[in-house]
Amino acid sequence: MSPSVVPTRDDLVARLRVRFADVPAENVRRCVDDLWCCCAHLGVRPEERTIERLAASRLTGVVRGGRPPYPDGRPASRPPGSRAAAKRPAGATTPIGM
């Protein structure tokens, strides 16, 4: 990677961190890096404006997809529809086709 690209990417991450303060800084950086690499892999020149627009769209989804905490401040459990290890009642079976 050329040295001239690094400040541009760092500036982009800094701007997005301000816009998406609720998202951890490492996640913002990873999002930008991922999009940058995807563009390069596809042979598309990674332009700052394009990367910023795509990253903002992804990060907006992250913010909107988060579950609000319970009223007493406890964090919400796993997201709806997740297949995390949930205990089934005794005798429960998996529906046919799953």
Side-chain angles (χ1 to χ4, degrees), residues 86-98:
K87 292 189 177 182
R88 292 177 177 252
T93 61
T94 304
I96 296 174
M98 291 197 107

Side-chain angles (χ1 to χ4, degrees), residues 35-91:
L35 288 167
W36 211 281
C37 290
C38 286
C39 284
H41 176 75
L42 294 172
V44 176
R45 183 175 178 200
E47 295 180 4
E48 186 178 0
R49 286 183 4 196
T50 304
I51 300 293
E52 184 169 7
R53 202 168 58 242
L54 290 168
S57 177
R58 277 188 179 184
L59 294 168
T60 298
V62 168
V63 170
R64 288 185 180 168
R67 295 191 69 190
Y70 290 106
D72 64 1
R74 290 182 299 137
S77 59
R78 65 187 193 282
S82 72
R83 306 275 259 166
K87 292 189 177 182
R88 292 177 177 252

